[in-house]
Amino acid sequence: MPPGGGGQNSTLAPTINAPSGILSGTNASATITLGGNNVDPAIVAGAAYQWSISGGRIVGDARSATVTFVADTPGTVTLAATIGADGTSFSPTANVTVIAADTAGKVTSPA
């Protein structure tokens, strides 16, 4: 079985598209992509999603292809999604690094 779940329909192979890093306390979004360009739009439209998070909190709908989340403290957020599509279940994950604004540095403009 391929990583992230799957089985008989590995052409759907979902991917979580998330930022590699965010500032603590700011909202960010992640989106599920099912397969490549050859996936039947009806399969994508009929997919069921359920997001979960560790190290942060979901602030949007956890049952859609896109989720909005926030981490209030620096560290790592792990996003996980369970996707049911075309009779197959998938469970991809993604990690997002969270840094504090004071650690990120300051931007100054020339005088």
Side-chain angles (χ1 to χ4, degrees):
M1 190 175 301
Q8 75 256 25
N9 197 347
S10 60
T11 59
L12 292 177
T15 303
I16 295 177
N17 300 303
S20 58
I22 61 172
L23 291 177
S24 60
T26 60
N27 287 359
S29 294
T31 301
I32 297 284
T33 302
L34 286 175
N37 295 329
N38 297 325
V39 175
D40 182 349
I43 292 173
V44 175
Y49 304 91
Q50 183 61 56
W51 290 87
S52 62
I53 190 169
S54 173
R57 57 191 161 92
I58 293 173
V59 295
D61 185 359
R63 298 167 300 175
S64 67
T66 299
V67 69
T68 302
F69 64 96
V70 65
D72 295 318
T73 58
T76 300
V77 165
T78 300
L79 295 165
T82 301
I83 303 119
D86 199 30
T88 305
S89 179
F90 300 93
S91 301
T93 61
N95 290 324
V96 178
T97 301
V98 182
I99 59 174
D102 58 344
T103 303
K106 296 181 181 178
V107 176
T108 58
S109 60

